[in-house]
Amino acid sequence: MYYVLFNPLSNNKTGLKAACEVQAILGEKDVSLEDVTQFSSYSDFFTKVTAEDEIVLCGGDGTLNCFINDIVCENLKNKVYYYASGSGNDFAHDVENDTKFLEKLIPLNEYLKSLPVVTVNDQKKYFINGIGFGIDGYCCEAGDDMRAKASSEEVINYTAIAIKGLLGKFKPSNGKVTVDGVTKSYKKIWLAPTMIGKYYGGGMKVAPAQNRLNEEKKVSCVVWHGSGKLSTLIAFPSIFKGEHIKHKKMIEIMEGHEVTVEFDKPQALQIDGETVRNVTKYSVVYK
């Protein structure tokens, strides 16, 4: 049996449509569409299936984050696939060349064996793409505020939010970054994400050399710092192709197993696209 898990309210209420697309891909196979709002948790759902059943998870990066934080991935016995149907789909963009199953169904198990943990405000969470701190967190915060006021059909333009932020609404912080025990201080930090994948923010290739399956179990911390508004604005579009790393006076990338980022004033932070407000520090461990 294939169980297709979907949230009917996701991605502007298109969750059921995505589940039906998966059903069409699976063709003549035995398929059950499961509305995740009808059971208490993913963990609860897995107690009701056999080890031979296969699961297809429909949604975006936020759906993946909820999934990995609701089950014990190391104990997962079922084959699980992912059908990207969110607004950003950064995970899918990162692994799209690795699909080994049917059209658009991504085998998940390999990617869930080992995941980094972020600690924010004494709360620990797994993440599957990255942690954004700086203007990336600001964009998520502003997007959430706009969504709360907008109609359900209105699309939030995060690139436009970022540009407005760069033009003056966002104020960079000073801070320090510690990677595997080595601490560096920075002025005017525009962003300081820590990444297990290459992409975040709906297609920004912020950590182009990061391999989410690297055997060393290292994450990448990318610090954009020291630049003025105009030079940052001019260079910012290059992040979509990963070419921002050419601006070596602005960008420093450090790899390691433990990362701590501290700002001198509260900023919004995002974990796989989910906003956490008023944060001054986060820590990541990946071992």
Side-chain angles (χ1 to χ4, degrees):
M1 171 73 79
Y2 282 85
Y3 290 95
V4 180
L5 311 186
F6 72 98
N7 184 335
L9 304 178
S10 67
N11 199 20
N12 290 323
K13 300 181 180 179
T14 61
L16 178 58
K17 177 176 178 290
C20 291
E21 290 169 354
V22 172
Q23 188 172 30
I25 291 171
L26 292 171
E28 299 299 319
K29 294 180 172 62
D30 195 5
V31 176
S32 175
L33 304 186
E34 299 287 334
D35 179 349
V36 300
T37 64
Q38 299 303 306
F39 47 82
S40 59
S41 67
Y42 289 111
S43 296
D44 180 58
F45 167 78
F46 273 93
T47 64
K48 302 173 184 178
V49 300
T50 69
E52 290 74 29
D53 292 325
E54 302 190 23
I55 315 298
V56 182
L57 184 66
C58 297
D61 298 301
T63 297
L64 283 171
N65 186 274
C66 289
F67 184 78
I68 63 176
N69 281 285
D70 198 24
I71 64 169
V72 181
C73 294
E74 291 86 351
N75 297 337
L76 192 58
K77 295 182 174 64
N78 301 83
K79 289 183 179 179
V80 181
Y81 304 93
Y82 172 60
Y83 183 73
S85 55
S87 56
N89 298 323
D90 289 309
F91 173 80
H93 194 25
D94 194 21
V95 306
E96 60 187 354
N97 293 327
D98 293 342
T99 359
K100 303 178 182 72
F101 192 59
L102 297 173
E103 179 186 3
K104 295 184 179 180
L105 296 186
I106 300 169
L108 267 184
N109 297 72
E110 183 179 17
Y111 301 108
L112 304 183
K113 289 178 181 177
S114 177
L115 292 168
V117 175
V118 60
T119 301
V120 181
N121 298 335
D122 297 322
Q123 299 294 314
K124 296 181 183 294
K125 287 190 72 173
Y126 292 106
F127 63 96
I128 201 162
N129 289 322
I131 311 303
F133 200 20
I135 196 165
D136 37 12
Y138 159 82
C139 288
C140 288
E141 181 180 42
D144 288 350
D145 292 342
M146 291 172 64
R147 190 177 292 106
K149 299 175 183 178
S151 66
S152 60
E153 292 79 18
E154 186 170 344
V155 177
I156 306 301
N157 188 327
Y158 287 96
T159 301
I161 294 172
I163 291 171
K164 289 178 181 178
L166 290 168
L167 287 172
K169 287 195 172 184
F170 172 78
K171 306 298 182 186
S173 299
N174 300 326
K176 57 184 180 180
V177 178
T178 303
V179 179
D180 290 349
V182 178
T183 301
K184 295 183 178 182
S185 296
Y186 298 92
K187 301 290 186 183
K188 294 176 70 174
I189 302 174
W190 291 94
L191 54 81
T194 296
M195 305 294 298
I196 180 62
K198 293 179 175 65
Y199 296 90
Y200 75 173
M204 296 182 187
K205 198 175 184 179
V206 64
Q210 176 66 27
N211 175 8
R212 64 173 60 248
L213 296 178
N214 74 88
E215 294 181 359
E216 295 85 0
K217 292 189 177 181
K218 290 184 177 181
V219 290
S220 294
C221 183
V222 182
V223 185
W224 191 318
H225 65 98
S227 53
K229 284 194 292 187
L230 182 58
S231 57
T232 303
L233 182 62
I234 292 171
F236 191 77
S238 64
I239 199 171
F240 287 93
K241 292 186 177 180
E243 295 178 353
H244 61 296
I245 63 173
K246 296 178 181 178
H247 301 278
K248 298 191 181 298
K249 290 184 178 180
M250 303 181 190
I251 307 295
E252 183 170 1
I253 301 177
M254 295 158 282
E255 296 180 345
H257 303 285
E258 298 186 26
V259 177
T260 298
V261 178
E262 300 176 73
F263 281 179
D264 64 354
K265 60 183 178 182
Q267 299 274 10
L269 173 149
Q270 61 87 11
I271 304 172
D272 289 340
E274 300 300 313
T275 309
V276 184
R277 298 171 185 252
N278 299 316
V279 176
T280 56
K281 174 182 176 180
Y282 78 84
S283 298
V284 167
V285 175
Y286 188 36
K287 291 184 176 179

